[in-house]
Amino acid sequence: MTETDPIVEAIFDAVAATAPEIRAALPGRRVESGTDNPSGESVLAGDLYADELLADALTAVDGVGSFVSEERAAAVDAGAAVGSDGEGAYAVAIDPLDGSSNLRSNNAMGTVVGVYDAPLPATGRDLVAAGYVLYGPITTMIVADADGVREEVVTEAEGGSVDRSVVEEDLTLPDDPLVYGFGGRVPDWPDAFTAFAREIEDELKLRYGGAMVGDVNQVLTYGGVFAYPALNSAPEGKLRLSFEANPIAYIVERAGGAATDGDTDILDVEPEGVHDRVPLYVGNEGLIERLEDALAGD
Ligand code: AHM
Ligand code: MG
């Protein structure tokens, strides 16, 4: 067991501390904010609220050098130049409300966190930790670092203090996969992916909710495969490398699974810009190997 990095701990404390506040603020923020994000998607009032709260909380953490968000064109300078190892400070990449289109229909969504030991854009090999908050019937937080993956339950005590209690110390993907969830419209899937999907439909049970954090959490819990594939109309898929794909790949790989863009381990994908998109396929190793073989024949 490696020593816990105090800055990483402080970052996840800060993220957990925002969770009850974000949850409480959502009922009145299910409407469009009237603005678009750097990916050209319309932003809900809830996205903006979460982004601002997380920016304030994370730029206040000692050892955080920059805050980078799916909702912002530019990084926010957080001041710290030096991290815990005496080297450069961490860049924290956030998707403030992943799956926020689920806000209108009141389905699961969450916050994705990537802690990079390099200024962005950087590859996933620069991640020192990653995690996500999942707003389901209860609020949970997944935290992955060099030691592995933990699941915590986040609760707010009377008086407002926030408690993180570990409910699963060493989370690994079950060996026998059970579920799958694939994004995008089926007619928009390339033929090779459709052929793979047809095989998987025969073997596993569909679980797709439209929020990556919720759908990936099903895979972490039950084993299986999640994909937001390359589409005929969008060869880069939908999900963003820095804010979504890299943190999820880091978590799934630390849990014993695999992550690919169809050809290359997600963590090795070289970004050109902070808001780059990438196809994402994650899950049990055997399924991801089969997927890569299927796409290689395309
Ligand atoms: P968001 O971060 O703006 O919410 O977008 C990402 C979400 C993912 O959570 C999910 O996998 C995907 O978009 C679903 O897209 P679609 O609604 O097109 O199926
Ligand atoms: Mg997202």
Side-chain angles (χ1 to χ4, degrees):
M1 172 135 174
T2 49
E3 215 172 295
T4 310
D5 179 334
I7 299 178
V8 169
E9 268 310 287
I11 288 168
F12 282 98
D13 277 346
V15 170
T18 63
E21 233 177 306
I22 290 175
R23 198 188 251 287
L26 294 177
R29 291 183 171 79
R30 301 166 76 185
V31 294
E32 305 281 339
S33 68
T35 57
D36 285 353
N37 70 14
S39 302
E41 299 162 341
S42 80
V43 173
L44 296 179
D47 291 309
L48 281 189
Y49 181 86
D51 176 62
E52 274 161 30
L53 206 63
L54 286 156
D56 287 349
L58 288 163
T59 53
V61 174
D62 265 352
V64 172
S66 59
F67 171 84
V68 198
S69 162
E70 187 177 296
E71 309 300 351
R72 294 175 190 244
V76 180
D77 185 357
V82 180
S84 57
D85 51 3
E87 312 232 330
Y90 293 150
V92 182
I94 295 281
D95 180 356
L97 274 189
D98 175 62
S100 59
S101 66
N102 277 359
L103 197 44
R104 278 185 64 201
S105 57
N106 189 25
N107 283 289
M109 52 183 201
T111 297
V112 191
V113 185
V115 184
Y116 292 82
D117 197 6
L120 295 186
T123 75
R125 296 290 170 203
D126 285 311
L127 282 167
V128 295
Y132 56 79
V133 173
L134 177 58
Y135 296 105
I138 53 176
T139 305
T140 53
M141 186 163 74
I142 295 290
V143 180
D145 58 19
D147 282 337
V149 185
R150 302 184 291 285
E151 183 183 29
E152 305 177 1
V153 170
V154 178
T155 47
E156 190 177 18
E158 251 176 74
S161 68
V162 172
D163 180 57
R164 298 169 55 187
S165 65
V166 177
V167 288
E168 182 88 53
E169 189 62 67
D170 188 16
L171 208 158
T172 52
L173 263 80
D175 290 335
D176 289 331
L178 276 185
V179 300
Y180 74 96
F182 299 154
R185 290 174 56 248
V186 176
D188 208 5
W189 289 350
D191 291 346
F193 182 73
T194 305
F196 172 76
R198 293 287 96 92
E199 284 180 24
I200 295 300
E201 285 162 9
D202 252 359
E203 299 169 25
L204 306 179
K205 199 158 56 163
L206 173 62
R207 288 284 180 93
Y208 187 73
M212 178 191 67
V213 283
D215 294 326
V216 167
N217 208 60
Q218 301 248 18
V219 169
L220 275 182
T221 308
Y222 301 115
V225 53
F226 166 81
Y228 202 105
L231 301 176
N232 291 325
S233 65
E236 304 307 324
K238 176 179 183 193
L239 302 175
R240 269 78 18 157
L241 177 65
S242 301
F243 307 107
E244 293 162 323
N246 270 337
I248 290 301
Y250 183 94
I251 294 163
V252 172
E253 291 191 14
R254 288 295 178 281
T260 180
D261 69 354
D263 170 59
T264 303
D265 189 318
I266 287 287
L267 299 178
D268 290 317
V269 173
E270 290 284 345
E272 283 170 19
V274 167
H275 295 277
D276 282 9
R277 298 179 193 267
V278 72
L280 174 68
Y281 312 85
V282 294
N284 287 70
E285 253 179 11
L287 294 170
I288 297 302
E289 275 167 24
R290 278 173 55 193
L291 175 272
E292 283 187 331
D293 289 346
L295 296 193
D298 201 9

